[in-house]
Amino acid sequence: MTTPVVIVLNGVIVAVTDDRPRILTVKHPDDSLRVPKEADFEEGAPPDALPFGPLDPAADRTLELGLNGWVREQTGIELGYVEQLYSFGDRNREPGVRQGGPRVISIAYLALVREEQLSVRGEANWRDWYEYFPWEDWLWRRPSMIDEQIAPALTRWVQAATDTTIRSRRQERIEIAFGLEGAPWDQERVLERYELLYEAGQVAEQALDTIVARRDRQESQKSSKGSSPQPKTSLLGRPMALDHRRILATALGRLRGKIKYRPVVFELLSPTFTLLQLQRVVEALAGVRLHKQNFRRLVEKGGLVEGTGQLDSKTGGRPAKLFCFRREVLRERPAPGIGLPGALTK
Amino acid sequence: MTTPVVIVLNGVIVAVTDDRPRILTVKHPDDSLRVPKEADFEEGAPPDALPFGPLDPAADRTLELGLNGWVREQTGIELGYVEQLYSFGDRNREPGVRQGGPRVISIAYLALVREEQLSVRGEANWRDWYEYFPWEDWLWRRPSMIDEQIAPALTRWVQAATDTTIRSRRQERIEIAFGLEGAPWDQERVLERYELLYEAGQVAEQALDTIVARRDRQESQKSSKGSSPQPKTSLLGRPMALDHRRILATALGRLRGKIKYRPVVFELLSPTFTLLQLQRVVEALAGVRLHKQNFRRLVEKGGLVEGTGQLDSKTGGRPAKLFCFRREVLRERPAPGIGLPGALTK
DNA sequence: CTTAGTTATACTCACTTCTAGCATAAGAGC
DNA sequence: GCTCTTATGCTAGAAGTGAGTATAACTAAG
């Protein structure tokens, strides 16, 4: 008996509208993967999922062509910027799948589209990225949830470890990831934060996995990993199907890192824009407010943009100059990105 | 007829010895993939390959465990730091494979090991990374090969395009990737450079692919991609099997980027080291010489290392203080890496 | 035991780049 | 004209970088 392998392509399709980052989601269509009622997890409704499609190993010449193909079919969107994110292949990453079924390897891609393309066909929805990761949204202020719910829960999790080595290891991890005890907040550590919450039993997916694992009872359930599932009310952020929220966290972290050294933001903007529009998009992705004057100096002096000579008078105050991406910067600077000037230091 | 999928795990296993970066290679064992004689490519000898092993979809619980497993079996090496690199899945990435065979998806990993572990079992060899990419080695000086062979060949390739849009696109690409016409050299663009050389027919693998493609004659061969294969003498760098040199280029680029914002170098060093040893390892990876005084200032003031109080008197001159990695820096700084202070500016 | 060679380490100075502001400009609505 | 809003210009001080000079501590040759 040989276990067959199936390749699934997942797309994290990102846009920014109304100064919020959005991702394209679908309702998970496969009934066999529907969340069991007992998970206390959206009461049996099909959860949000990232759009995905199978790789046709015979027809799709490259992985990316395969991705473009079914995205076009399912949503009508023509992907512009696409980059491979990560491949996820743990067994049991799809807890609903019966043992003995095929091994599913999912290769995730990050795609950026412009606001104009926002209309979609079918069952797809644009959702605010931060619904899934409310603790990542520092635009307004440092989310109170961090001190009120996350830190206490993680501290309990640290103390639940009896072995002192494990305990101090956990303590270090939560301090670095969530900027506790005076450590700085690193916007890029999105995945680390999600995984800590998962291990500490603070997200719905973990509760679900635990239930399924218990049902399957494949290995003695004494791993020190998870505490017992929490009641629904305390679980953090909007859940997704399978490991899709993990994929999403990977994407957010990658994107937050990438804007600093490659001019990818412009893939999310129309060809001409005001500096404030540009700033808002960067802020939406980074989840942090920036110092306006420094931002504009950085972008202009860095040669990333050039004025078009036109003005935009729909800004409410003084009309703003319109700019466009300055392609020559690619020749001039090794890593042209947009740092985060004046990001909240605390 | 359904096409089965096979997952292969590739490992780019890196160490630094004698101030040179080394990677672990094997001779490609599969005869069906042996390079055809007509390719004028090492005369039918089995080419170097990255160590690899299949994923057992039934047994290997995670991809990384699968990797660790066969690396241990084949080479006796216990991997420490491991990170996923990229998944390669183009059809025909294995030109020797007959049509109708399984679709091979290869998931590549980057692993760093310390010098102590250098002894290996079996057919494996440690090879200098720059044998495969001689144009990436700027340690001694800017390689003359860039001006003498690469630039002329790429210029011919640019001019071979009749369409002016394609031509200027190609021109921009070669300037950015190879720092021609006054553009700066970006150490991280290793993959871009390899792919340009590939497209321009300057590496043996491309010549081979062209031959195989012609033999298979699956699509009308009018793609503007490759010029005709060059005679062996002009081909650049030591070739590898299949697309392994592409994987290697991905790894080098990733590693060069990563040392700047994560303290991964220390995975390549013994627990205590002198600052010059540290500098030599960074230089070996980055392929650039650094300014010694500034380097030490950066690393010390950056809190990346701390003195152990011991001295190393085997340095030849004045004995050097021994340092070790300072773990607390992870808590203190968001992205603790080692910039490239004083990197050759031209 | 003096001298030359080698490596380590301290310190400096000019210069660029951020940070965090203040100040002014140019529109809209009343 | 006044007020509100957004855009844009400018700057003092802090921090970080680049490229050195100077000095210290050892080894090996004579």
Side-chain angles (χ1 to χ4, degrees):
Chain A
M1 150 204 141
T2 79
T3 304
V5 173
V6 170
I7 303 282
V8 167
L9 301 171
N10 276 279
V12 180
I13 303 175
V14 182
V16 175
T17 36
D18 304 327
D19 302 339
R20 302 294 295 178
R22 322 257 173 196
I23 56 149
L24 194 65
T25 62
V26 297
K27 286 294 172 185
H28 202 295
D30 182 350
D31 249 16
S32 74
L33 293 176
R34 184 160 297 204
V35 179
K37 278 261 175 44
E38 48 176 331
D40 206 15
F41 176 107
E42 294 247 333
E43 307 298 345
D48 294 351
L50 294 173
F52 66 96
L55 173 77
D56 178 344
D60 296 328
R61 207 153 45 79
T62 73
L63 301 178
E64 229 173 88
L65 287 175
L67 178 83
N68 286 322
W70 62 251
V71 169
R72 191 182 310 115
E73 279 170 34
Q74 283 182 27
T75 69
I77 290 180
E78 200 62 50
L79 298 181
Y81 178 89
V82 175
E83 102 177 39
Q84 195 188 96
L85 254 189
Y86 202 82
S87 299
F88 300 84
D90 291 4
R91 188 145 47 80
N92 297 328
R93 49 174 293 275
E94 309 214 342
V97 173
R98 300 127 317 270
Q99 292 203 284
R103 179 70 177 264
V104 178
I105 307 284
S106 118
I107 307 182
Y109 282 81
L110 171 64
L112 307 181
V113 302
R114 291 176 215 288
E115 212 172 340
E116 298 110 61
Q117 292 208 318
L118 277 198
S119 64
V120 289
R121 289 205 292 263
E123 286 266 2
N125 278 302
W126 290 102
R127 296 208 93 97
D128 189 322
W129 204 324
Y130 296 120
E131 283 187 50
Y132 303 99
F133 306 107
W135 55 88
E136 299 289 346
D137 179 2
W138 290 45
L139 281 172
W140 180 236
R141 67 165 76 120
R142 178 188 155 98
S144 58
M145 154 195 277
I146 292 178
D147 294 318
E148 290 166 10
Q149 295 180 65
I150 294 180
L154 290 177
T155 302
R156 284 197 301 279
W157 174 71
V158 167
Q159 269 147 16
T162 47
D163 181 287
T164 59
T165 317
I166 295 182
R167 188 155 58 217
S168 65
R169 183 85 190 89
R170 285 187 179 181
Q171 181 65 31
E172 187 190 39
R173 286 178 66 202
I174 72 172
E175 288 177 10
I176 293 173
F178 283 93
L180 304 177
E181 310 296 331
W185 177 265
D186 183 349
Q187 300 105 12
E188 296 182 36
R189 299 188 186 267
V190 186
L191 181 62
E192 277 178 65
R193 287 188 279 268
Y194 175 76
E195 292 197 323
L196 276 172
L197 294 178
Y198 183 100
E199 289 184 48
Q202 298 300 308
V203 296
E205 289 91 332
Q206 192 274 345
L208 177 59
D209 281 5
T210 308
I211 289 169
V212 174
R214 193 175 302 139
R215 190 185 64 198
D216 289 2
R217 190 67 67 190
Q218 46 194 355
E219 289 166 307
S220 66
Q221 196 60 22
K222 63 176 176 191
S223 92
S224 67
K225 235 182 159 183
S227 35
S228 50
Q230 306 288 318
K232 179 187 176 184
T233 48
S234 76
L235 296 179
L236 298 166
R238 187 183 173 94
M240 296 188 89
L242 312 175
D243 60 351
H244 286 194
R245 200 146 56 131
R246 187 182 308 263
I247 297 177
L248 197 54
T250 309
L252 182 49
R254 175 78 66 88
L255 189 51
R256 282 183 170 179
K258 199 129 195 177
I259 48 176
K260 291 178 193 146
Y261 64 95
R262 287 286 126 101
V264 283
V265 230
F266 302 104
E267 305 288 340
L268 296 162
L269 282 159
S270 45
T272 71
F273 46 81
T274 70
L275 290 184
L276 188 58
Q277 284 169 352
L278 175 60
Q279 181 179 346
R280 292 290 177 238
V281 172
V282 174
E283 288 173 334
L285 299 177
V288 188
R289 287 259 169 253
L290 304 178
H291 186 284
K292 190 167 170 176
Q293 295 93 323
N294 288 345
F295 180 83
R296 88 192 324 281
R297 178 171 46 79
L298 192 83
V299 189
E300 276 190 297
K301 288 211 173 165
L304 273 163
V305 297
E306 61 190 347
T308 63
Q310 297 156 289
L311 293 180
D312 178 5
S313 27
K314 292 183 293 293
T315 55
R318 169 174 169 178
K321 286 187 198 153
L322 281 170
F323 290 82
C324 64
F325 173 53
R326 195 169 147 276
R327 208 151 201 294
E328 298 89 316
V329 76
L330 296 170
R331 268 188 39 101
E332 298 162 0
R333 282 174 46 192
I338 302 192
L340 302 181
L344 260 84
T345 50
K346 233 191 55 59
Chain B
M1 150 203 145
T2 80
T3 305
V5 173
V6 171
I7 303 282
V8 168
L9 301 171
N10 277 279
V12 179
I13 303 174
V14 182
V16 175
T17 35
D18 305 327
D19 302 339
R20 301 294 296 179
R22 321 256 173 196
I23 55 150
L24 193 65
T25 63
V26 298
K27 286 294 172 185
H28 202 294
D30 181 351
D31 249 15
S32 75
L33 292 177
R34 183 158 298 204
V35 179
K37 279 262 173 46
E38 47 177 331
D40 207 13
F41 177 107
E42 294 247 333
E43 307 298 345
D48 293 352
L50 295 174
F52 66 95
L55 173 77
D56 179 342
D60 295 327
R61 207 154 45 76
T62 74
L63 301 177
E64 229 174 88
L65 287 175
L67 178 83
N68 286 323
W70 61 253
V71 168
R72 191 183 311 113
E73 279 170 35
Q74 282 181 27
T75 67
I77 290 181
E78 201 61 52
L79 297 181
Y81 178 89
V82 175
E83 105 178 35
Q84 196 187 94
L85 254 189
Y86 202 83
S87 300
F88 300 82
D90 290 4
R91 188 146 48 81
N92 297 328
R93 51 175 290 277
E94 308 215 342
V97 173
R98 299 125 321 267
Q99 291 202 282
R103 179 72 177 262
V104 178
I105 307 285
S106 118
I107 307 183
Y109 282 80
L110 170 64
L112 307 181
V113 302
R114 292 176 213 286
E115 211 172 342
E116 298 109 61
Q117 292 207 319
L118 277 198
S119 64
V120 289
R121 290 205 292 265
E123 286 266 2
N125 278 301
W126 289 102
R127 295 210 94 98
D128 189 321
W129 205 324
Y130 295 120
E131 282 186 52
Y132 304 99
F133 306 106
W135 55 89
E136 299 289 344
D137 180 1
W138 290 45
L139 280 171
W140 179 236
R141 68 165 76 120
R142 179 188 154 97
S144 57
M145 156 195 277
I146 292 178
D147 293 318
E148 289 165 11
Q149 295 180 64
I150 293 180
L154 290 178
T155 302
R156 283 198 301 279
W157 173 71
V158 168
Q159 269 147 18
T162 47
D163 181 288
T164 58
T165 318
I166 295 181
R167 189 154 56 215
S168 64
R169 183 85 192 88
R170 286 186 179 181
Q171 181 65 31
E172 187 190 40
R173 286 178 65 202
I174 71 171
E175 289 177 9
I176 293 173
F178 283 94
L180 304 178
E181 311 295 333
W185 177 265
D186 183 349
Q187 300 105 13
E188 295 182 37
R189 298 187 187 267
V190 186
L191 181 62
E192 278 178 65
R193 286 188 279 270
Y194 175 75
E195 293 199 321
L196 276 173
L197 293 177
Y198 184 100
E199 288 184 47
Q202 298 300 307
V203 297
E205 290 91 332
Q206 192 274 344
L208 176 59
D209 282 5
T210 307
I211 290 168
V212 174
R214 192 176 299 137
R215 192 184 63 198
D216 289 1
R217 189 68 68 189
Q218 45 194 353
E219 289 165 306
S220 67
Q221 195 63 21
K222 62 176 177 188
S223 93
S224 68
K225 235 180 158 182
S227 33
S228 49
Q230 304 288 320
K232 179 185 175 184
T233 48
S234 76
L235 296 179
L236 299 167
R238 186 182 173 95
M240 296 188 90
L242 312 176
D243 59 351
H244 286 194
R245 199 146 55 130
R246 187 181 310 262
I247 297 177
L248 196 56
T250 309
L252 182 49
R254 174 78 67 89
L255 189 51
R256 283 183 170 180
K258 199 130 196 175
I259 48 177
K260 292 179 193 147
Y261 64 95
R262 288 286 125 101
V264 284
V265 230
F266 303 104
E267 305 288 341
L268 296 162
L269 283 158
S270 46
T272 72
F273 45 83
T274 70
L275 290 185
L276 188 57
Q277 285 168 352
L278 175 61
Q279 181 179 345
R280 292 288 179 240
V281 172
V282 174
E283 288 174 333
L285 298 177
V288 187
R289 287 258 170 253
L290 303 178
H291 185 282
K292 189 168 171 176
Q293 294 92 323
N294 289 344
F295 180 82
R296 90 193 319 280
R297 180 183 55 189
L298 192 84
V299 201
E300 276 191 295
K301 291 211 170 168
L304 273 162
V305 299
E306 61 190 348
T308 63
Q310 298 157 288
L311 292 180
D312 178 6
S313 28
K314 291 183 294 293
T315 54
R318 169 174 170 177
K321 287 188 196 150
L322 281 171
F323 290 82
C324 64
F325 174 51
R326 195 169 147 274
R327 208 152 199 294
E328 299 89 317
V329 76
L330 295 171
R331 269 187 37 99
E332 298 163 0
R333 282 174 45 192
I338 302 192
L340 301 180
L344 261 85
T345 50
K346 232 189 56 62

